[in-house]
Each structure stands twice: as structure tokens, then as C-alpha cells.
Amino acid sequence: MSSSQALLQISGLDAYYGRAHVLQGVDFEVGDEPVAIVGRNGMGKTTLCAAIMGLTPPSTSGSIRFLGQELRGKQPYRIAQAGIGYVPQGRRLFPSLSVAEHLRMVAGRGGGSGRWTTQRIYELFPRLAERKRNGGAQLSGGEQQMLAIGRALLRNPQLLIMDEPSEGLAPAVVESLVNTFRTLVEEGLRLLLIEQNLGVATALADRQLVMIAGRIAAETTADALMNDPDAQRRYLGVEPLAEVS
């Protein structure tokens, strides 16, 4: 993929927490096809998401370009306005706000006026329509993840970044979400997936980037990674996993 075709282009990205050098010269691009970044805990994956979205860490260098526009140094709301949706690890919902209030808050700030509306979110996730008056703390883990995804989609993003979307969810819920993500990708949504669950990562993206100690240490494909038990143990520290159907 050439730089002119890249939707998101990360070049020489370094990030620090104090003296801790967390991201070290990260380089990769995202185009039309989904990309998954896999790796063990503590390798810098969530810091990468935060750096792209302008959240943390406070000290970064390098380049983060989206549709040719430099994002590094911009406020998070400006980055969201540029066309990037973000589903953070742990969902980060407001416990006291209902499902409807979460969605209304985004729609009231300029979201929900394009292809993705509150009604379409309810059609995508009927369970949210049933639970629209329930607060964030009253939802199951799967329902919370649906709401976090719906909240991000209401901004009508061109690129959706998801950090560990399968974390803490039952296998049946994970399978349902994988099917939903596949539908969204087929409809044209670009996807950057951060995921420790290899089955989910390989089910959603053929292009796999392996992060080790703050660097992109390897690039491979879903088939190659799923069929290489030694690589699974070396990169992820797990026993070989079965694919997600």
C-alpha cells in the first residue's frame, strides 16, 4: 500500500509516560482492509490507541496522519471530528446515564445526522432498544460493548478503532459481535482492531501486526498466524487457538 492510498499513516511514533519509552518508532498504515494489532498485555497497544486519539500519553513525537492531515497535537474532539471513531478498552460508559441518554448525548453534539442515527443503532443492536432506559451500570458486559460501539458509530466515522472489544465477554456474545463487525466492514467501514484474542483478530482482519515492547515487530496474515503454533506462543504467550467461526 502506498502512502497516497493510506487512510491512517503512523510514522516514527514515539510515546512516553515520564521517562518510560512506551512506543518506539511505530510505523504502519491502514487502508481499505481491516488491520489487527495483536500482542501480549503491556506491549503498548492501548497507549497506541490513546496516542492516535490525542488522549495520552502527554509526550509524543513522530507523525499520525489521517486522510493526509496531521493529527498529532490536536485535541481529541478534533480527531473525532476528522472521522475516527474509538471504542476504548473497558467501554468507559457513564454508570448513571441510560442507554438513550448516552446516544442522545452524542447525537446532540453533531453525531447521528449522517448514515448512522440512533434508530439505526437500535436496529443494529435490538437489545439496546429493549434496554434504552437502563443505566450503563445496569447493562451486561455485552450490552455495554454494544452501547460503546453504537456511541462511536453515531459519529459516522470513516475509521473505527476498537481496543480489546472481546475482553471479558462470553463466547456467544463475542461471536455475535464478530458477525456484526464483519457486516460493518462489508458496508465499507474501515477497521483498526487492537486485540489479544487471536481468534477474534484473525476472524476480522487478514493483515496482522504483532506488537512487542512498543514496536511493530512483525507483519503477517491471519492464515499464517493461525497455522503457526510456534509464532502464537512466541508473540502472544498462548497455546494455539481455534478460529472464531
Side-chain angles (χ1 to χ4, degrees):
M1 179 196 316
S2 68
S3 297
S4 61
Q5 296 173 313
L7 184 72
L8 177 70
Q9 183 179 15
I10 309 294
S11 303
L13 182 62
D14 288 85
Y16 301 82
Y17 286 108
R19 295 183 179 180
H21 193 176
V22 182
L23 300 181
Q24 303 183 31
V26 173
D27 293 281
F28 70 92
E29 296 179 352
V30 178
D32 290 334
E33 299 300 319
V35 175
I37 298 180
V38 298
R40 303 178 187 179
N41 286 333
M43 293 295 106
K45 305 188 303 299
T46 293
T47 297
L48 173 62
C49 293
I52 294 172
M53 296 306 300
L55 297 168
T56 57
S59 179
T60 61
S61 62
S63 177
I64 304 169
R65 301 187 71 84
F66 182 70
L67 292 173
Q69 177 185 3
E70 181 60 54
L71 297 183
R72 194 174 69 82
K74 291 186 178 296
Q75 294 294 318
Y77 76 95
R78 293 291 188 191
I79 295 171
Q81 288 174 345
I84 301 180
Y86 181 41
V87 180
Q89 184 178 23
R91 276 80 81 172
R92 297 187 188 179
L93 303 177
F94 295 96
S96 63
L97 293 186
S98 69
V99 168
E101 288 168 337
H102 273 93
L103 299 180
R104 191 181 308 128
M105 180 172 58
V106 178
R109 291 179 175 272
S113 58
R115 176 185 176 194
W116 285 101
T117 63
T118 299
Q119 182 57 40
R120 186 154 185 234
I121 297 300
Y122 288 144
E123 292 170 358
L124 180 67
F125 297 121
R127 184 60 178 161
L128 292 183
E130 297 171 4
R131 304 275 279 167
K132 65 172 63 177
R133 292 182 177 83
N134 291 87
Q138 298 173 311
L139 304 178
S140 69
E143 291 164 349
Q144 289 179 2
Q145 191 62 282
M146 293 174 194
L147 180 53
I149 295 166
R151 180 179 60 184
L153 289 175
L154 270 182
R155 297 294 309 179
N156 288 282
Q158 296 185 58
L159 173 67
L160 183 64
I161 299 176
M162 296 191 297
D163 189 4
E164 304 283 2
S166 71
E167 184 178 59
L169 301 183
V173 176
V174 171
E175 184 175 354
S176 177
L177 287 176
V178 165
N179 290 332
T180 297
F181 297 148
R182 283 173 170 162
T183 299
L184 295 177
V185 169
E186 290 172 359
E187 292 178 355
L189 182 67
R190 279 71 165 253
L191 182 65
L192 174 59
L193 176 68
I194 312 299
E195 186 56 82
Q196 191 174 4
N197 185 323
L198 185 58
V200 173
T202 55
L204 291 174
D206 183 57
R207 187 171 168 225
Q208 302 283 313
L209 306 180
V210 181
M211 178 166 275
I212 298 176
R215 299 177 182 272
I216 302 298
E219 179 171 344
T220 184
T221 66
D223 284 345
L225 191 53
M226 287 300 295
N227 291 310
D228 190 342
D230 289 337
Q232 293 179 32
R233 295 188 185 98
R234 184 168 66 253
Y235 294 143
L236 300 173
V238 298
E239 291 303 309
L241 299 176
E243 293 185 47
V244 173
S245 61

